[in-house]
Amino acid sequence: MGNGKQVTLFALDCGATNWRLYRVGYRLNGNLIRIMGDPQPSPLTSFSERKLPAIFTHTPDGSAIESFGEVSQGQLEDENARERVREYFKPCIGSHLEPNPLPHQKRYTHAQALDFTRMLLEAVVEQIRGEKWRASAFDESVRFAFAYPVHWGYDHGGVILEDFKALVLGCFPEKIHTQIEFVPEPEGAILSLRRQGLLSNAHGGVTLIVDVGGSTTDIIAGQIDPRTGELLYLGRYGEPFGGGLYDAEMAKYLADELNVPASALADDPSAMATLRIYALRLKESLSRRLMQNGNSGDDISAQRMITLVMRDGQVYRSLMKIDQTTFSKVAGHLNQSFQDLIARAIKAIGLTDQDINQVALVGGGVQLFSIVRHLRERFGDEKVVLADNPDEIVVRGVGLAFGAAMGTLKPGVSLVIELPPVAELEEDAEPVSNADTTQDADSVSEVGLQLVSPEEGKAYPLNIGVTKVGRARECLVWLESDKVSRIHAELHRTDESIELIDLGSTNGTFLNDERLTANQTLMLHVGDELRFGDQVFTIKLG
């Protein structure tokens, strides 16, 4: 499959708390679609730790975005700016259709939540175009796929999903609207879990996939086909319940512990947004420590110095400490709500606990110790599987859903999805954008390439896939230098091109003496000089 058309797909999961972006390449050749490596993170300069906090700051007149992501998170500590900060707005999408919306669903109107999502998405799309598409116009060689909560598609006749689709399409040129797909979050989770070999068919029975996000919980049940390894769909269930509810309850607790008067909060309601971020970080810290220590231990706690400056200049400051006993007192009713949700889901799908052989946990919310604990107590430790980086499972799977999307674009064409075994691929293989048509792609096609060190005389082969460079032992190009970061950079090769990406290294990656911006991708040619910290190499024919 050396010929054919190459397509780059960007997969987005626009969550309530964080947004994630992945990228994967496909090659189309007749009736075949071949994936060019696993989906992998494709973060932008605004991302931190491979995620973008779903938060932005309005301009003073409210007509545009002044800043977003971590910059806006920092502004929550500015008593003068935080009233212009907008965050946690996804739960409010569709709230106008709920007979009894929860408090967190009433923070904004449905129209406001859609508008805020549109504004942030427009900013992200422009960054994708500028940083990942070489500032070129999107063309037929790019695709986009968006995850959405499964219940948006069937609650209230599916109108919430239709509103979301209209919002997304409005952020792109009309000429590529047919190149934008929407994937239910559980479908993405299934594809990703299958890809990683985490869906077991060893003992029969039903697999339950539990996806807990910041504002929603989606559950899907199915049976593994022993011949194909596919999940045969049995049922689905979803509710507007997520990890953000715990943050809201913890924020109230922090306000009480700081002795912030209710009247002060009424005069400065944006202060609660600041406390919610503190609560999120305390919750995550406590969960990590408990999970690392067997999910138990009364002496395990998390603490953080909290400073809250009110609009009137009053300052509240205290070192806050929380353990699992305190957490249970504050959020015990939410733990019960989650347990009830699981019971309702199993009943709605028509199952019993005895039918379930495996419970696969995905989504950022499943990292909460009380959620994992309940599911293990209910179904048994051996049946509960917590995926690595569970908050990235859905977006990975959305990147794998392209085959089905192409089926809708080309009716009547039989499509074969060729997914190479994971063992044959580097974990983080990233495809190449076709946007820069001025490059000579044939310069590296079907030839042996090497990364050669002129000083040491060492040569490293640059094969199809990913070549990692760094001080870590697992890197193919292992460099013993204090100037080189542990995972410093990567070279991404397909059968037509090779690219270099810096992974946020401390001392920089240089192409022909020009330093790359972190996460910037540049195409390489034979003869180019590369420098990783203080280590110099040249691209040569093998």
Side-chain angles (χ1 to χ4, degrees):
M1 294 206 32
N3 299 318
K5 174 183 176 183
Q6 186 169 318
V7 170
T8 297
L9 181 140
F10 292 101
L12 291 99
D13 183 2
C14 303
T17 306
N18 294 296
W19 287 18
R20 296 189 180 276
L21 174 68
Y22 265 61
R23 187 168 102 165
V24 63
Y26 288 87
R27 184 170 299 284
L28 282 61
N29 189 8
N31 67 334
L32 296 179
I33 298 177
R34 181 183 178 189
I35 190 170
M36 307 296 291
D38 278 344
Q40 75 159 24
S42 188
L44 306 169
T45 54
S46 58
F47 278 47
S48 173
E49 297 180 346
R50 311 203 308 192
K51 62 189 178 185
L52 172 71
I55 180 172
F56 71 88
T57 304
H58 263 145
T59 54
D61 63 3
S63 62
I65 288 182
E66 179 180 275
S67 62
F68 59 96
E70 278 210 327
V71 175
S72 291
Q73 267 192 348
Q75 288 180 308
L76 284 174
E77 299 179 12
D78 182 344
E79 66 276 14
N80 296 314
R82 66 175 175 237
E83 64 181 14
R84 295 187 283 115
V85 175
R86 302 290 179 266
E87 46 85 45
Y88 204 58
F89 38 81
K90 182 181 179 180
C92 302
I93 296 177
S95 60
H96 65 303
L97 300 173
E98 298 295 331
N100 297 299
L102 299 171
H104 71 286
Q105 295 177 292
K106 297 188 290 186
R107 300 183 66 232
Y108 308 107
T109 67
H110 171 69
Q112 286 176 320
L114 288 176
D115 192 43
F116 298 160
T117 304
R118 174 191 60 79
M119 295 175 75
L120 185 56
L121 180 57
E122 286 178 343
V124 170
V125 169
E126 183 56 29
Q127 278 205 343
I128 293 173
R129 194 183 69 82
E131 297 180 24
K132 304 299 182 183
W133 210 247
R134 297 176 176 82
S136 303
F138 293 132
D139 57 22
E140 71 281 354
S141 61
V142 67
R143 295 291 188 277
F144 288 88
F146 288 82
Y148 68 87
V150 66
H151 62 275
W152 279 8
Y154 58 80
D155 282 353
H156 312 292
V159 297
I160 304 174
L161 177 58
E162 292 307 311
D163 283 349
F164 179 67
K165 286 183 176 180
L167 175 159
V168 170
L169 293 176
C171 296
F172 293 90
E174 186 175 355
K175 67 178 182 179
I176 70 163
H177 281 188
T178 56
Q179 296 158 218
I180 299 173
E181 297 299 321
F182 298 88
V183 181
E185 291 173 0
E187 181 179 325
I190 292 169
L191 291 169
S192 186
L193 291 169
R194 278 183 56 201
R195 179 71 166 165
Q196 297 181 47
L198 294 177
L199 295 183
S200 170
N201 61 353
H203 306 291
V206 174
T207 292
L208 200 68
I209 298 174
V210 180
D211 178 4
V212 184
S215 64
T216 60
T217 294
D218 286 335
I219 297 171
I220 192 164
Q223 289 180 307
I224 306 297
D225 187 327
R227 298 167 302 170
T228 66
E230 294 183 356
L231 188 73
L232 304 178
Y233 169 81
L234 293 176
R236 64 188 180 188
Y237 186 83
E239 286 189 18
F241 178 97
L245 292 178
Y246 290 88
D247 305 334
E249 290 300 310
M250 283 295 300
K252 296 176 186 175
Y253 167 77
L254 295 179
D256 290 340
E257 291 297 299
L258 289 169
N259 294 316
V260 183
S263 58
L265 291 173
D267 292 337
D268 189 1
S270 62
M272 288 301 292
T274 305
L275 292 176
R276 188 161 44 249
I277 297 299
Y278 280 126
L280 169 65
R281 292 168 178 167
L282 275 169
K283 178 193 74 176
E284 290 179 343
S285 178
L286 177 64
S287 288
R288 281 194 301 270
R289 296 183 182 190
L290 285 169
M291 296 286 280
Q292 290 168 359
N293 290 273
N295 207 19
S296 63
D298 293 334
D299 58 337
I300 296 174
S301 64
Q303 62 183 21
R304 191 178 190 91
M305 178 61 71
I306 295 178
T307 302
L308 180 67
V309 182
M310 305 299 289
R311 188 183 301 162
D312 60 6
Q314 180 68 41
V315 179
Y316 297 90
R317 181 182 290 111
S318 179
L319 179 64
M320 304 298 296
K321 181 178 179 181
I322 184 169
D323 55 25
Q324 61 177 327
T325 300
T326 304
F327 186 86
S328 297
K329 290 179 179 178
V330 173
H333 63 291
L334 293 176
N335 292 337
Q336 185 60 52
S337 296
F338 177 76
Q339 296 173 26
D340 294 343
L341 186 160
I342 294 296
R344 285 193 295 272
I346 292 173
K347 181 177 180 180
I349 297 172
L351 300 172
T352 66
D353 287 9
Q354 290 69 37
D355 296 324
I356 297 169
N357 173 67
Q358 182 184 42
V359 182
L361 308 185
V362 301
V366 298
Q367 297 176 95
L368 181 59
F369 73 93
S370 60
I371 286 178
V372 176
R373 176 180 296 171
H374 168 66
L375 293 173
R376 286 175 173 168
E377 289 176 349
R378 178 162 189 159
F379 299 105
D381 287 356
E382 71 284 355
K383 292 185 178 181
V384 177
V385 177
L386 178 60
D388 291 336
N389 299 317
D391 45 350
E392 299 183 15
I393 290 293
V394 167
V395 70
R396 279 180 178 269
V398 170
L400 295 170
F402 177 60
M406 285 301 296
T408 63
L409 294 176
K410 293 189 176 183
V413 177
S414 175
L415 297 175
V416 178
I417 310 301
E418 295 185 346
L419 296 179
V422 175
E424 295 181 8
L425 295 168
E426 293 287 349
E427 180 181 350
D428 294 327
E430 181 165 334
V432 178
S433 162
N434 286 338
D436 190 352
T437 58
T438 63
Q439 301 289 350
D440 181 10
D442 292 335
S443 63
V444 298
S445 179
E446 305 298 334
V447 299
L449 289 177
Q450 292 182 330
L451 190 64
V452 179
S453 170
E455 292 185 4
E456 298 184 7
K458 291 184 178 179
Y460 300 87
L462 297 175
N463 300 320
I464 299 295
V466 170
T467 299
K468 296 186 177 184
V469 181
R471 206 173 65 249
R473 284 278 187 174
E474 64 264 27
C475 292
L476 178 60
V477 182
W478 176 41
L479 304 177
E480 295 183 274
S481 170
D482 293 338
K483 301 294 185 181
V484 176
S485 297
R486 185 177 177 277
I487 306 293
H488 193 105
E490 291 176 347
L491 293 106
H492 300 250
R493 185 181 176 186
T494 69
D495 54 5
E496 288 190 349
S497 60
I498 185 166
E499 291 184 333
L500 172 68
I501 181 170
D502 177 81
L503 301 177
S505 62
T506 301
N507 294 301
T509 300
F510 297 79
L511 172 59
N512 299 324
D513 288 329
E514 291 191 14
R515 182 166 181 166
L516 277 67
T517 302
N519 298 307
Q520 177 186 4
T521 302
L522 291 179
M523 188 173 289
L524 302 179
H525 298 86
V526 174
D528 282 342
E529 183 181 272
L530 282 57
R531 178 157 57 90
F532 310 102
D534 60 353
Q535 304 294 299
V536 179
F537 292 85
T538 303
I539 299 285
K540 293 187 177 182
L541 294 175

